[in-house]
């Protein structure tokens, strides 16, 4: 591959073709494998470092909460930057932000500063706001026939990230002898730097007028008050928030139960693999059985993960809990995302998706923070017991939606 010769994507007038789409899908899959490992590193170690640095142990999971908060608040600025400067420049800036965040987090550990470490994870989270759009960027130049494959290729990068992140923790956590775990965040910064190099090879793709339209349509308040949007947003919020709620607490709970840091990191690795692995066939399941049933199946799997979590504290119990949690997230969140697409017209797409993501990632940040407080105050069992009420509410809403036929697509 050879790098384009101009700094701005807009300087090229390259025709849309599957050859460009295939090239970009490979580039973005590699970038996802590198950059997508950052959340796994922060989730694996954020609570442990927070426990060591925070004077108030109830704040131990604050670094993970700030990771999700950074993702939430960075989504709109990332989109605005890429719209103005192009995908390639935007992703390079995003990788640079990830590099800076990793270095700052490592420095915070080395200097025993909980504040600097938290600021570092917040910045790493904003890096994630760029990475989450890779799957959409892969389809920019793709034909309708190739779009599903392009997304699948990028999701393969997510699977690889699920291995690279925990293995980075295992290989580098003791690299800086005077500052345990600082090496892992320097490893994260290195991966972000490599991602910056990779995305330089991204080729420009023409963007349709429809995809850049941000205004028009009904007022946002009118749209989000629709019953179908409320059900879609609640099910997505519950799926993602409960996944984060349990995933954030699990590594700390494993350590508290006498298991090793390596076992905790491998548990997160299996969890992330379970999150992304089913993506290759979740769409087919939705086509065959419907959005509501697949979403409901995901919520039931999340509840089942809590049942396993309550049944024992061996490594096997923790790992099975995390695997079922990942599978439940995949079905629940992807199904809920599909439900959201029924709520808007094409000209309303950007603002409705942004509103949905803001609600979800804001709640995710709150969930990760509250899980640490609950774990510290009441233990792992309490974390699991609190899963059931939100799942019951979301399932009830889905059942009500089915009964009242409220999923009719918005007219365009």
């Amino acid at each position: 591959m050879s790098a384009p010769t101009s700094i701005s994507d807009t300087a090229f007038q390259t025709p849309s073709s599957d050859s460009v789409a295939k090239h970009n899908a490979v580039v973005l899959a590699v970038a996802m494998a590198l950059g997508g490992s950052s959340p796994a590193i922060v989730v694996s170690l954020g609570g442990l470092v927070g426990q060591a640095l925070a004077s108030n142990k109830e704040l131990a999971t604050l670094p993970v909460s700030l990771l999700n908060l950074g993702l939430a608040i960075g989504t709109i600025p990332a989109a605005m930057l890429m719209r103005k400067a192009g995908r390639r420049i935007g992703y390079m800036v995003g990788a640079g932000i990830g590099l800076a965040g990793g270095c700052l987090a490592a420095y915070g550990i080395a200097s025993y500063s909980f504040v600097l470490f938290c600021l570092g994870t917040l910045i790493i989270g904003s890096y994630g706001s760029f990475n989450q759009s890779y799957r959409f960027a892969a389809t920019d130049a793709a034909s309708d026939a190739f779009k599903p494959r392009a997304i699948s290729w990028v999701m393969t990068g997510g699977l690889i990230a699920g291995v690279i992140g925990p293995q980075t923790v295992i290989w580098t956590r003791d690299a800086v002898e005077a500052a345990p775990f600082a090496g892992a965040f320097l490893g994260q910064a290195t991966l972000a730097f490599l991602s910056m190099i990779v995305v330089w090879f991204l080729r420009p793709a023409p963007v349709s007028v429809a995809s850049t339209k941000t205004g028009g349509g009904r007022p946002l308040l009118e749209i989000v008050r629709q019953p179908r949007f409320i059900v879609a947003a609640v099910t997505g919020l519950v799926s993602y928030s409960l996944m984060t709620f349990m995933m954030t607490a699990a590594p700390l709970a494993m350590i508290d139960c006498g298991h090793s840091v390596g076992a905790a990191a491998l548990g997160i690795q299996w969890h992330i693999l379970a999150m992304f692995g089913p993506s290759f066939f979740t769409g087919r399941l939705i086509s065959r059985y419907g959005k509501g049933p697949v979403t409901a199946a995901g919520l039931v799997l999340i509840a089942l993960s809590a049942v396993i979590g309550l049944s024992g504290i061996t490594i096997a119990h923790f790992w099975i809990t995390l695997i079922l949690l990942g599978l439940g997230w995949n079905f629940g969140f992807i199904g809920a995302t599909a439900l959201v697409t029924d709520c808007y017209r094409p000209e309303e797409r950007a603002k409705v998706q942004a509103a949905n993501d803001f609600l979800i990632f804001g709640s995710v940040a709150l969930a990760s923070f509250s899980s640490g407080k609950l774990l510290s105050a009441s233990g792992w069992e309490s974390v699991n017991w609190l899963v059931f009420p939100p799942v019951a509410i979301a399932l009830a809403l889905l059942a009500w939606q089915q009964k009242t036929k409220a999923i009719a697509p918005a007219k365009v």
Side-chain angles (χ1 to χ4, degrees):
M1 294 185 294
S2 59
T5 57
S6 174
I7 295 297
S8 173
D9 290 354
T10 58
F12 295 86
Q13 299 297 326
T14 306
S16 176
S17 67
D18 279 349
S19 63
V20 173
K22 291 176 181 178
H23 171 92
N24 286 349
V26 171
V27 169
L28 291 166
V30 176
M32 176 62 80
L34 297 169
S37 63
S38 293
I41 294 172
V42 176
V43 169
S44 296
L45 295 179
L48 298 176
V49 174
Q51 199 170 51
L53 297 181
S55 57
N56 183 350
K57 301 310 177 186
E58 291 186 353
L59 298 176
T61 60
L62 179 60
V64 181
S65 303
L66 292 175
L67 171 81
N68 294 306
L69 181 62
L71 174 58
I73 64 178
T75 300
I76 294 176
M80 292 175 63
L81 173 62
M82 287 186 286
R83 186 178 175 192
K84 183 174 182 180
R87 295 275 196 194
R88 184 164 53 117
I89 296 301
Y91 289 147
M92 289 184 68
V93 171
I97 291 172
L99 169 62
C103 290
L104 182 59
Y107 179 74
I109 296 172
S111 61
Y112 301 98
S113 172
F114 183 59
V115 172
L116 289 180
F117 178 68
C118 286
L119 181 58
T121 61
L122 176 70
I123 294 172
I124 293 171
S126 66
Y127 172 35
S129 65
F130 290 85
N131 297 342
Q132 70 164 341
S133 68
Y134 285 169
R135 67 191 187 279
F136 298 115
T139 67
D140 284 350
S143 65
D144 289 342
F146 184 68
K147 283 180 180 179
R149 290 178 58 196
I151 296 172
S152 295
W153 289 12
V154 176
M155 295 301 288
T156 300
L159 279 171
I160 298 172
V163 176
I164 291 177
Q167 291 301 319
T168 298
V169 171
I170 293 171
W171 295 338
T172 64
R173 65 179 187 262
D174 298 321
V176 181
E177 293 184 4
F181 304 135
F185 286 91
L186 292 177
Q188 180 272 325
T190 301
L191 292 172
F193 175 73
L194 293 174
S195 177
M196 186 186 301
I197 296 174
V198 169
V199 296
W200 172 255
F201 294 98
L202 194 66
R203 293 178 182 171
V207 180
S208 68
V209 173
S211 67
T212 61
K213 186 180 292 187
T214 58
R218 297 163 294 171
L220 180 60
L221 183 60
E222 177 183 340
I223 299 170
V224 300
R225 290 173 62 183
Q226 298 176 101
R228 59 173 167 260
F229 178 84
I230 293 172
V231 173
V234 168
T235 52
L237 185 153
V238 167
S239 299
Y240 214 132
S241 297
L242 288 181
M243 183 276 292
T244 303
F245 184 68
M246 293 185 68
M247 178 185 67
T248 302
L252 288 173
M254 290 187 72
I255 300 300
D256 290 342
C257 292
H259 303 303
S260 67
V261 173
L266 286 173
I268 294 298
Q269 174 177 307
W270 285 112
H271 169 71
I272 294 175
L273 290 174
M275 286 174 61
F276 288 97
S279 300
F280 299 116
F281 57 82
T282 303
R284 295 177 185 176
L285 291 176
I286 291 174
S287 297
R288 181 170 181 177
Y289 297 107
K291 302 167 187 175
V294 171
T295 305
L299 292 165
V300 170
L301 283 170
I302 291 173
L304 182 58
S305 73
V307 172
I308 301 299
L310 287 168
S311 65
I313 57 173
T314 67
I315 288 178
H317 282 95
F318 278 106
W319 284 11
I320 293 172
T321 293
L322 287 167
I323 289 170
L324 290 174
L325 185 65
L327 293 172
W329 173 85
N330 184 278
F331 292 162
F333 184 63
I334 292 179
T337 300
L339 289 172
V340 172
T341 64
D342 289 334
C343 303
Y344 54 76
R345 302 165 184 166
E347 65 272 19
E348 300 163 348
R349 179 184 306 152
K351 59 186 178 184
V352 176
Q353 289 177 348
N356 180 69
D357 286 351
F358 180 79
L359 289 172
I360 288 175
F361 290 112
S363 67
V364 163
L366 179 62
S368 61
F369 177 66
S370 60
S371 71
K373 294 178 69 68
L374 182 63
L375 181 68
S376 176
S378 304
W380 174 240
E381 284 193 1
S382 296
V383 172
N384 286 276
W385 278 115
L386 278 184
V387 166
F388 301 114
V391 167
I393 292 171
L395 287 173
L397 285 172
L398 280 170
W400 169 78
Q401 185 184 56
Q402 286 287 106
K403 183 177 180 180
T404 58
K405 311 289 186 182
I407 286 189
K411 295 181 180 180
V412 298

